[in-house]
Coordinates of all heavy atoms in Angstrom, one line a residue:
M1 N 48.3 22.8 -108.6 CA 49.7 22.3 -108.8 C 49.7 21.1 -109.9 O 48.9 20.1 -109.8 CB 50.3 21.7 -107.4 CG 51.5 21.1 -107.5 SD 52.1 20.6 -105.9 CE 51.7 18.8 -105.9
A2 N 50.3 21.3 -111.0 CA 50.5 20.4 -112.0 C 51.1 19.2 -111.7 O 52.3 19.5 -111.2 CB 50.8 21.1 -113.3
R3 N 50.7 18.1 -111.9 CA 51.5 16.8 -111.8 C 51.4 16.0 -113.0 O 50.6 16.2 -113.9 CB 51.0 16.0 -110.5 CG 49.6 15.6 -110.8 CD 49.0 14.8 -109.5 NE 47.7 14.3 -109.7 CZ 47.1 13.4 -109.0 NH1 47.8 12.9 -108.1 NH2 45.8 13.0 -109.3
T4 N 52.2 14.9 -113.0 CA 52.3 14.0 -114.2 C 51.5 12.7 -113.7 O 51.8 12.2 -112.6 CB 53.8 13.7 -114.5 OG1 54.4 14.9 -115.0 CG2 53.7 12.7 -115.8
I5 N 50.6 12.3 -114.4 CA 49.8 11.1 -114.2 C 50.2 10.0 -115.2 O 50.0 10.2 -116.4 CB 48.2 11.4 -114.3 CG1 47.9 12.5 -113.3 CG2 47.4 10.2 -114.0 CD1 46.5 13.0 -113.3
F6 N 50.7 8.9 -114.6 CA 51.0 7.8 -115.6 C 49.9 6.7 -115.5 O 49.3 6.4 -114.4 CB 52.3 7.1 -114.9 CG 53.5 8.0 -115.2 CD1 54.0 8.6 -114.1 CD2 54.2 8.1 -116.3 CE1 55.1 9.6 -114.3 CE2 55.2 8.9 -116.4 CZ 55.7 9.7 -115.5
I7 N 49.6 6.2 -116.7 CA 48.6 5.2 -116.9 C 49.1 4.1 -117.7 O 49.7 4.3 -118.8 CB 47.3 5.8 -117.7 CG1 46.7 7.0 -116.8 CG2 46.3 4.7 -117.9 CD1 45.7 7.7 -117.6
K8 N 49.0 2.7 -117.1 CA 49.6 1.7 -117.8 C 48.5 0.7 -118.2 O 48.6 -0.2 -118.9 CB 50.7 1.0 -117.2 CG 50.3 0.3 -115.8 CD 51.5 -0.3 -115.2 CE 51.3 -0.7 -113.8 NZ 52.5 -1.3 -113.2
E9 N 47.1 1.0 -117.8 CA 46.1 0.2 -118.0 C 44.7 1.0 -118.0 O 44.5 1.7 -117.2 CB 46.0 -0.9 -117.0 CG 44.9 -2.0 -117.2 CD 44.9 -3.1 -116.1 OE1 45.4 -3.0 -115.1 OE2 44.1 -4.2 -116.6
I10 N 44.0 0.7 -119.0 CA 42.6 1.3 -119.1 C 41.6 0.3 -119.1 O 41.6 -0.6 -119.8 CB 42.5 2.2 -120.4 CG1 43.6 3.3 -120.4 CG2 41.2 2.8 -120.5 CD1 43.8 4.0 -121.7
I11 N 40.7 0.3 -118.1 CA 39.7 -0.6 -118.0 C 38.2 0.0 -118.1 O 37.9 1.0 -117.6 CB 39.7 -1.2 -116.5 CG1 41.0 -1.7 -116.2 CG2 38.6 -2.2 -116.3 CD1 41.3 -2.0 -114.7
S12 N 37.5 -0.6 -119.1 CA 36.0 -0.2 -119.2 C 35.2 -1.1 -118.4 O 35.4 -2.3 -118.5 CB 35.7 -0.1 -120.7 OG 35.6 -1.3 -121.3
I13 N 34.1 -0.5 -117.8 CA 33.3 -1.3 -117.0 C 31.9 -0.6 -117.0 O 31.8 0.6 -117.3 CB 33.9 -1.3 -115.5 CG1 33.2 -2.4 -114.6 CG2 34.0 0.0 -114.9 CD1 34.0 -2.6 -113.4
L14 N 30.9 -1.3 -116.8 CA 29.5 -0.8 -116.8 C 29.1 -0.1 -115.5 O 28.4 0.9 -115.6 CB 28.5 -2.1 -117.2 CG 28.6 -2.6 -118.6 CD1 27.6 -3.8 -118.7 CD2 28.3 -1.5 -119.5
K15 N 29.3 -0.7 -114.3 CA 29.0 -0.1 -113.2 C 30.2 0.5 -112.3 O 31.2 -0.1 -112.4 CB 28.2 -1.2 -112.2 CG 26.9 -1.6 -112.8 CD 26.3 -2.7 -112.0 CE 25.1 -3.3 -112.6 NZ 24.6 -4.3 -111.8
E16 N 30.0 1.4 -111.4 CA 31.1 1.9 -110.7 C 31.6 0.8 -109.6 O 30.7 0.4 -108.8 CB 30.6 3.1 -109.9 CG 31.7 3.8 -109.1 CD 31.3 5.2 -108.5 OE1 30.5 5.8 -109.1 OE2 31.9 5.6 -107.6
P17 N 32.8 0.4 -109.7 CA 33.3 -0.5 -108.7 C 33.6 0.1 -107.3 O 33.8 1.3 -107.2 CB 34.6 -1.0 -109.4 CG 35.1 0.2 -110.2 CD 33.8 0.9 -110.7
K18 N 33.4 -0.8 -106.3 CA 33.9 -0.4 -104.9 C 35.5 -0.4 -104.7 O 35.9 0.3 -103.9 CB 33.1 -1.3 -104.1 CG 31.7 -1.1 -104.0 CD 31.1 -1.9 -102.9 CE 29.5 -1.9 -102.8 NZ 28.9 -1.1 -103.5
F19 N 36.0 -1.3 -105.5 CA 37.6 -1.3 -105.5 C 38.1 -1.4 -106.9 O 37.5 -1.7 -107.9 CB 38.0 -2.4 -104.6 CG 37.3 -3.8 -105.0 CD1 37.8 -4.6 -105.9 CD2 36.2 -4.0 -104.3 CE1 37.3 -5.8 -106.3 CE2 35.5 -5.4 -104.5 CZ 36.1 -6.1 -105.5
C20 N 39.3 -1.4 -107.0 CA 40.1 -1.3 -108.3 C 40.1 -2.9 -108.9 O 40.3 -3.8 -108.2 CB 41.5 -0.9 -108.1 SG 42.4 -1.1 -109.6
P21 N 39.7 -3.1 -110.1 CA 39.7 -4.5 -110.6 C 41.1 -5.0 -110.7 O 41.1 -6.3 -110.7 CB 39.2 -4.3 -112.0 CG 38.3 -3.1 -112.0 CD 39.0 -2.2 -111.0
T22 N 42.0 -4.3 -110.8 CA 43.4 -4.8 -111.0 C 44.2 -5.2 -109.6 O 44.5 -6.3 -109.5 CB 44.3 -3.8 -111.7 OG1 43.6 -3.5 -113.0 CG2 45.7 -4.2 -111.9
C23 N 44.1 -4.2 -108.7 CA 44.8 -4.5 -107.4 C 43.9 -4.9 -106.4 O 44.4 -5.1 -105.2 CB 45.7 -3.2 -107.1 SG 44.8 -1.8 -106.7
Q24 N 42.6 -4.8 -106.5 CA 41.7 -5.3 -105.5 C 41.6 -4.4 -104.2 O 41.4 -4.8 -103.1 CB 41.9 -6.7 -105.2 CG 41.8 -7.6 -106.3 CD 40.4 -7.7 -107.0 OE1 39.3 -7.8 -106.3 NE2 40.4 -7.6 -108.4
K25 N 42.1 -3.1 -104.3 CA 42.1 -2.2 -103.1 C 41.3 -1.0 -103.5 O 41.1 -0.6 -104.7 CB 43.6 -1.7 -103.0 CG 44.5 -2.8 -102.9 CD 44.7 -3.3 -101.5 CE 45.8 -4.3 -101.3 NZ 45.8 -5.1 -100.2
E26 N 40.9 -0.3 -102.5 CA 40.0 0.9 -102.6 C 40.7 2.2 -102.1 O 40.0 3.3 -102.1 CB 38.7 0.6 -101.9 CG 38.7 0.4 -100.5 CD 37.3 0.2 -100.0 OE1 36.4 0.8 -100.4 OE2 37.3 -0.6 -99.1
D27 N 41.8 2.2 -101.4 CA 42.3 3.3 -100.8 C 43.0 4.3 -101.6 O 43.3 5.5 -101.2 CB 43.4 2.8 -99.7 CG 44.5 2.1 -100.3 OD1 44.4 1.5 -101.3 OD2 45.5 2.0 -99.6
K28 N 43.3 4.1 -102.9 CA 44.1 5.0 -103.8 C 43.1 5.4 -104.9 O 43.7 5.8 -106.0 CB 45.4 4.4 -104.3 CG 46.4 4.1 -103.1 CD 47.2 5.3 -102.7 CE 48.2 4.9 -101.7 NZ 49.0 6.1 -101.3
L29 N 41.9 5.3 -105.0 CA 41.0 5.8 -106.0 C 40.7 7.3 -106.0 O 40.4 7.8 -104.9 CB 39.7 4.8 -105.9 CG 39.7 3.4 -105.9 CD1 38.4 2.8 -105.9 CD2 40.5 3.1 -107.3
E30 N 40.8 7.9 -107.2 CA 40.6 9.3 -107.3 C 39.6 9.4 -108.4 O 39.8 8.9 -109.6 CB 41.9 10.0 -107.6 CG 42.9 10.0 -106.5 CD 44.1 10.8 -107.0 OE1 44.1 11.8 -107.8 OE2 45.2 10.4 -106.5
K31 N 38.4 10.1 -108.1 CA 37.3 10.2 -109.2 C 37.4 11.6 -109.9 O 37.7 12.5 -109.4 CB 36.0 10.2 -108.4 CG 35.9 8.8 -107.9 CD 34.3 8.8 -107.1 CE 34.1 7.5 -106.6 NZ 32.7 7.3 -106.1
D32 N 37.1 11.3 -111.2 CA 36.9 12.5 -112.1 C 38.1 13.5 -112.3 O 37.9 14.8 -112.3 CB 35.6 13.2 -111.7 CG 34.3 12.4 -112.0 OD1 34.4 11.6 -113.0 OD2 33.5 12.4 -111.4
I33 N 39.3 13.1 -112.1 CA 40.4 13.9 -112.4 C 40.9 13.9 -113.7 O 41.7 14.7 -114.3 CB 41.6 13.8 -111.5 CG1 42.1 12.2 -111.6 CG2 41.2 13.9 -110.0 CD1 43.5 12.0 -110.9
I34 N 40.3 12.8 -114.6 CA 40.8 12.7 -116.0 C 39.3 12.5 -116.8 O 38.5 11.8 -116.2 CB 41.6 11.3 -116.2 CG1 42.9 11.6 -115.5 CG2 41.8 11.1 -117.7 CD1 43.9 10.4 -115.5
R35 N 39.3 13.1 -117.9 CA 38.1 12.8 -118.9 C 38.6 12.0 -120.0 O 39.5 12.1 -120.6 CB 37.6 14.2 -119.3 CG 36.8 15.0 -118.4 CD 36.1 16.2 -119.1 NE 37.0 16.9 -119.8 CZ 37.7 18.1 -119.4 NH1 37.4 18.5 -118.1 NH2 38.4 18.8 -120.2
E36 N 37.5 11.0 -120.3 CA 37.7 10.3 -121.5 C 36.7 10.8 -122.6 O 35.5 10.6 -122.3 CB 37.5 8.7 -121.3 CG 38.1 7.8 -122.2 CD 37.6 8.0 -123.6 OE1 36.3 7.7 -123.8 OE2 38.3 8.0 -124.5
E37 N 37.2 11.4 -123.6 CA 36.4 12.3 -124.4 C 35.5 11.4 -125.3 O 34.4 11.8 -125.7 CB 37.2 13.2 -125.3 CG 38.0 14.2 -124.4 CD 37.3 15.2 -123.6 OE1 36.0 15.4 -124.0 OE2 37.9 15.8 -122.7
R38 N 36.0 10.3 -125.8 CA 35.4 9.5 -126.9 C 34.1 8.9 -126.2 O 33.0 8.9 -127.0 CB 36.2 8.4 -127.5 CG 37.1 9.0 -128.3 CD 38.1 8.0 -129.0 NE 39.2 8.5 -129.6 CZ 39.3 8.3 -131.0 NH1 38.6 7.7 -131.6 NH2 40.4 8.9 -131.6
S39 N 34.1 8.2 -125.1 CA 32.9 7.6 -124.5 C 32.1 8.4 -123.7 O 31.0 8.2 -123.4 CB 33.4 6.4 -123.8 OG 34.0 6.8 -122.6
G40 N 32.7 9.5 -123.2 CA 32.0 10.5 -122.2 C 31.6 9.8 -120.9 O 30.7 10.3 -120.2
G41 N 32.4 8.8 -120.5 CA 32.0 8.1 -119.3 C 32.7 8.8 -118.1 O 33.7 9.5 -118.2
K42 N 32.2 8.4 -116.9 CA 32.9 8.8 -115.6 C 34.2 8.1 -115.5 O 34.3 6.9 -116.0 CB 31.9 8.4 -114.6 CG 31.7 9.5 -113.5 CD 30.6 9.0 -112.6 CE 31.2 9.0 -111.2 NZ 30.2 8.7 -110.1
T43 N 35.2 8.6 -115.0 CA 36.5 7.9 -114.7 C 36.9 7.8 -113.3 O 36.5 8.7 -112.5 CB 37.6 8.6 -115.7 OG1 37.7 10.1 -115.1 CG2 37.3 8.7 -117.1
I44 N 37.7 6.8 -113.0 CA 38.3 6.6 -111.7 C 39.8 6.3 -111.9 O 40.0 5.3 -112.7 CB 37.5 5.6 -110.9 CG1 36.0 6.0 -110.6 CG2 38.2 5.4 -109.5 CD1 35.2 4.8 -110.0
L45 N 40.7 6.9 -111.3 CA 42.1 6.5 -111.3 C 42.5 5.9 -110.1 O 42.4 6.5 -109.1 CB 42.9 7.9 -111.7 CG 44.3 7.7 -111.8 CD1 44.8 6.9 -112.9 CD2 45.0 9.1 -111.8
C46 N 43.2 4.7 -110.3 CA 43.9 4.0 -109.2 C 45.3 4.3 -109.3 O 46.0 4.0 -110.1 CB 43.6 2.6 -109.3 SG 44.4 1.6 -107.9
T47 N 45.8 5.2 -108.3 CA 47.1 5.7 -108.4 C 48.1 4.5 -107.8 O 49.3 4.6 -108.0 CB 47.3 6.9 -107.6 OG1 46.8 6.7 -106.2 CG2 46.6 8.1 -108.1
R48 N 47.6 3.5 -107.1 CA 48.4 2.4 -106.7 C 49.0 1.5 -107.9 O 50.1 1.4 -108.0 CB 47.7 1.4 -105.7 CG 48.5 0.3 -105.4 CD 47.5 -0.7 -104.6 NE 46.9 -0.2 -103.2 CZ 47.5 0.1 -102.2 NH1 48.6 -0.5 -102.0 NH2 46.9 0.7 -101.1
C49 N 48.1 1.2 -108.8 CA 48.5 0.3 -109.8 C 48.5 1.0 -111.3 O 48.7 0.4 -112.3 CB 47.5 -1.0 -110.0 SG 45.9 -0.6 -110.2
E50 N 48.2 2.4 -111.1 CA 48.2 3.2 -112.4 C 47.2 2.7 -113.4 O 47.4 2.7 -114.7 CB 49.5 3.3 -113.1 CG 50.6 3.9 -112.1 CD 52.0 3.9 -112.6 OE1 52.4 3.2 -113.5 OE2 52.8 4.8 -112.2
A51 N 46.0 2.3 -112.9 CA 44.9 2.0 -113.7 C 43.8 3.2 -113.9 O 43.5 3.7 -112.9 CB 44.2 0.6 -113.4
L52 N 43.3 3.2 -115.2 CA 42.2 4.2 -115.2 C 40.9 3.3 -115.7 O 40.8 2.5 -116.6 CB 42.5 5.1 -116.4 CG 41.4 6.2 -116.8 CD1 41.2 7.1 -115.6 CD2 41.6 6.8 -118.1
I53 N 39.9 3.6 -114.8 CA 38.7 3.0 -114.8 C 37.6 3.9 -115.5 O 37.4 4.9 -114.9 CB 38.2 2.4 -113.5 CG1 39.2 1.5 -112.8 CG2 36.8 1.6 -113.6 CD1 39.1 1.4 -111.4
V54 N 37.1 3.5 -116.8 CA 36.1 4.3 -117.4 C 34.8 3.5 -117.3 O 34.6 2.4 -117.7 CB 36.5 4.5 -118.9 CG1 35.6 5.2 -119.5 CG2 38.0 4.9 -119.0
I55 N 33.8 4.2 -116.7 CA 32.5 3.6 -116.5 C 31.7 4.0 -117.7 O 31.3 5.2 -117.9 CB 31.9 4.1 -115.2 CG1 32.7 3.8 -114.0 CG2 30.5 3.5 -115.0 CD1 32.5 4.6 -112.8
T56 N 31.5 3.1 -118.5 CA 30.8 3.3 -119.9 C 30.2 2.0 -120.4 O 30.8 1.0 -120.0 CB 31.7 4.1 -120.9 OG1 31.0 4.3 -121.9 CG2 32.8 3.2 -121.2
N57 N 29.4 2.1 -121.3 CA 28.8 0.8 -122.0 C 29.3 0.8 -123.4 O 29.2 -0.1 -124.2 CB 27.3 0.8 -122.1 CG 26.8 2.0 -122.7 OD1 27.4 3.0 -123.2 ND2 25.4 2.1 -122.9
H58 N 30.3 1.8 -123.9 CA 31.0 1.7 -125.1 C 32.2 0.8 -125.0 O 32.7 0.6 -124.0 CB 31.4 3.1 -125.6 CG 30.3 4.1 -125.6 ND1 29.5 4.1 -126.8 CD2 29.8 5.0 -124.9 CE1 28.5 5.0 -126.8 NE2 28.8 5.5 -125.5
N59 N 32.5 0.2 -126.2 CA 33.8 -0.6 -126.2 C 34.9 0.3 -126.6 O 34.8 1.0 -127.8 CB 33.6 -1.6 -127.4 CG 34.6 -2.7 -127.3 OD1 35.4 -2.8 -126.4 ND2 34.7 -3.6 -128.4
I60 N 35.8 0.4 -125.8 CA 37.0 1.4 -125.9 C 38.0 0.7 -126.8 O 38.6 -0.3 -126.3 CB 37.4 2.0 -124.6 CG1 36.3 2.8 -123.9 CG2 38.7 2.8 -124.9 CD1 36.6 3.1 -122.5
K61 N 38.4 1.4 -127.9 CA 39.5 0.9 -128.8 C 40.6 1.9 -128.7 O 41.9 1.4 -128.5 CB 39.2 0.5 -130.1 CG 38.3 -0.6 -130.1 CD 38.0 -1.3 -131.5 CE 36.8 -2.3 -131.3 NZ 36.8 -3.2 -132.4
Q62 N 40.3 3.0 -128.8 CA 41.3 4.2 -128.6 C 40.8 5.2 -127.7 O 39.6 5.4 -127.6 CB 41.5 4.8 -130.0 CG 42.1 4.0 -131.1 CD 42.4 4.9 -132.4 OE1 41.7 5.8 -132.6 NE2 43.4 4.4 -133.1
V63 N 41.7 5.7 -127.1 CA 41.2 6.7 -125.9 C 41.7 8.1 -126.4 O 42.7 8.4 -127.1 CB 41.8 6.3 -124.6 CG1 41.3 5.0 -124.1 CG2 43.4 6.2 -124.6
E64 N 41.0 9.1 -125.8 CA 41.3 10.5 -125.9 C 41.1 11.0 -124.5 O 40.0 11.3 -124.1 CB 40.4 11.2 -126.9 CG 40.7 12.4 -127.3 CD 39.8 13.0 -128.5 OE1 39.5 12.2 -129.4 OE2 39.4 14.2 -128.3
L65 N 42.2 11.2 -123.9 CA 42.2 11.7 -122.4 C 42.5 13.2 -122.4 O 43.3 13.6 -123.1 CB 43.1 10.8 -121.6 CG 43.0 9.3 -121.7 CD1 44.2 8.5 -121.1 CD2 41.6 8.9 -121.1
S66 N 41.9 13.7 -121.3 CA 42.3 15.1 -120.9 C 42.0 15.2 -119.5 O 41.3 14.6 -118.8 CB 41.4 16.2 -121.6 OG 40.0 15.9 -121.3
S67 N 42.8 16.2 -118.9 CA 42.8 16.4 -117.5 C 41.8 17.5 -117.0 O 41.7 18.6 -117.7 CB 44.2 16.7 -116.9 OG 44.1 17.1 -115.6
T68 N 41.2 17.4 -115.9 CA 40.3 18.4 -115.4 C 41.1 19.6 -114.8 O 40.7 20.7 -114.9 CB 39.3 17.8 -114.5 OG1 39.9 17.3 -113.3 CG2 38.4 16.9 -115.1
K69 N 42.3 19.4 -114.3 CA 43.2 20.3 -113.9 C 44.2 20.4 -114.9 O 44.1 20.1 -116.1 CB 43.8 19.8 -112.5 CG 42.8 19.6 -111.5 CD 43.3 19.1 -110.2 CE 42.1 18.8 -109.2 NZ 42.7 18.2 -108.1
D70 N 45.4 21.0 -114.6 CA 46.5 21.2 -115.5 C 47.5 20.1 -115.4 O 48.7 20.4 -115.3 CB 47.1 22.6 -115.2 CG 48.0 23.1 -116.3 OD1 47.7 22.6 -117.4 OD2 49.0 23.8 -116.2
D71 N 47.0 19.0 -115.2 CA 48.0 17.8 -115.3 C 48.4 17.3 -116.4 O 47.8 17.4 -117.5 CB 47.2 16.7 -114.4 CG 46.8 17.0 -113.0 OD1 47.5 17.9 -112.5 OD2 45.8 16.5 -112.6
T72 N 49.6 16.6 -116.5 CA 50.1 15.9 -117.8 C 49.8 14.5 -117.7 O 50.0 13.8 -116.6 CB 51.6 16.1 -117.8 OG1 51.9 17.5 -117.7 CG2 52.1 15.5 -119.1
I73 N 49.2 14.0 -118.7 CA 48.8 12.5 -118.7 C 49.7 11.7 -119.7 O 49.9 12.0 -120.9 CB 47.3 12.3 -119.2 CG1 46.4 13.2 -118.3 CG2 47.0 10.9 -119.2 CD1 45.0 13.3 -118.8
M74 N 50.4 10.7 -119.0 CA 51.4 9.9 -119.9 C 50.9 8.5 -119.8 O 50.6 7.9 -118.9 CB 52.7 10.0 -119.1 CG 53.3 11.3 -118.9 SD 53.8 12.0 -120.5 CE 55.3 11.2 -120.8
L75 N 50.7 7.9 -121.1 CA 50.3 6.6 -121.3 C 51.6 5.7 -121.4 O 52.5 6.0 -122.3 CB 49.5 6.3 -122.6 CG 48.1 6.7 -122.5 CD1 47.4 6.5 -123.9 CD2 47.2 5.9 -121.6
K76 N 51.8 4.7 -120.4 CA 52.9 4.0 -120.5 C 52.8 2.9 -121.6 O 51.7 2.4 -122.0 CB 53.1 3.1 -119.3 CG 53.6 4.1 -118.0 CD 53.9 3.3 -116.9 CE 54.5 4.2 -115.8 NZ 54.9 3.3 -114.6
E77 N 53.9 2.7 -122.4 CA 53.9 1.7 -123.5 C 54.4 0.4 -123.2 O 55.5 0.4 -122.4 CB 54.7 2.4 -124.7 CG 53.8 3.5 -125.3 CD 52.6 3.1 -126.0 OE1 52.4 2.1 -126.5 OE2 51.8 4.1 -126.1
P78 N 53.9 -0.7 -123.5 CA 52.7 -0.8 -124.0 C 51.6 -0.7 -123.0 O 51.7 -1.3 -121.9 CB 52.7 -2.2 -124.6 CG 53.6 -2.9 -123.8 CD 54.7 -2.0 -123.3
H79 N 50.5 0.0 -123.3 CA 49.5 0.1 -122.2 C 48.2 -1.0 -122.6 O 48.1 -1.2 -123.8 CB 48.8 1.4 -122.1 CG 48.3 2.0 -123.4 ND1 49.2 2.8 -124.3 CD2 47.1 2.1 -124.0 CE1 48.5 3.0 -125.2 NE2 47.3 2.6 -125.2
L80 N 47.6 -1.4 -121.7 CA 46.6 -2.5 -121.9 C 45.2 -1.8 -121.8 O 44.8 -0.9 -121.0 CB 46.6 -3.5 -120.9 CG 45.6 -4.5 -120.8 CD1 45.7 -5.4 -121.9 CD2 45.7 -5.4 -119.4
I81 N 44.3 -2.1 -122.7 CA 42.8 -1.6 -122.6 C 42.0 -2.9 -122.6 O 42.0 -3.7 -123.5 CB 42.5 -0.8 -124.0 CG1 43.4 0.5 -124.1 CG2 40.9 -0.5 -123.9 CD1 43.1 1.3 -125.3
R82 N 41.2 -3.1 -121.7 CA 40.4 -4.2 -121.5 C 39.0 -3.9 -120.8 O 38.9 -2.8 -120.3 CB 41.1 -5.2 -120.6 CG 41.2 -4.8 -119.1 CD 42.1 -5.9 -118.3 NE 42.3 -5.5 -117.0 CZ 41.9 -6.1 -116.0 NH1 41.0 -7.1 -116.1 NH2 42.1 -5.6 -114.8
K83 N 38.1 -4.7 -121.0 CA 36.8 -4.7 -120.5 C 36.6 -5.6 -119.4 O 36.9 -6.8 -119.6 CB 35.6 -4.9 -121.6 CG 34.3 -4.5 -121.1 CD 33.4 -4.6 -122.4 CE 32.0 -4.2 -121.9 NZ 31.3 -3.7 -122.9
V84 N 36.0 -5.2 -118.4 CA 35.7 -6.1 -117.1 C 34.1 -6.1 -117.1 O 33.4 -5.1 -117.1 CB 36.4 -5.5 -116.0 CG1 35.9 -6.2 -114.7 CG2 37.8 -5.4 -116.0
V85 N 33.7 -7.4 -116.8 CA 32.2 -7.5 -116.6 C 32.1 -8.2 -115.3 O 32.8 -9.4 -115.1 CB 31.6 -8.4 -117.8 CG1 30.2 -8.6 -117.4 CG2 31.8 -7.6 -119.0
Y86 N 31.3 -7.8 -114.3 CA 31.0 -8.5 -113.1 C 29.7 -9.1 -113.1 O 28.7 -8.8 -113.8 CB 30.9 -7.4 -111.9 CG 32.2 -6.9 -111.6 CD1 32.5 -5.7 -111.7 CD2 33.2 -7.8 -110.9 CE1 33.7 -5.1 -111.3 CE2 34.4 -7.3 -110.5 CZ 34.7 -5.9 -110.7 OH 35.9 -5.5 -110.3

């Protein structure tokens, strides 16, 4: 079933987090439903706050996203790209 995925924040991080860095919750995390092609990192989507967490050591400036299923990915404007370090 195709769905529309909205993203308003992209977060790059080195280690896989136990909870979302934005909303500090762990109940709405979905792993590997979106691929980030430029960095090749693992991704986690928080559907609660519409944040995409990319686990990579690359500095992300532009993203190239694709879905593993037949989902539509929509970036909300303006979207934020930031790096989180623990």
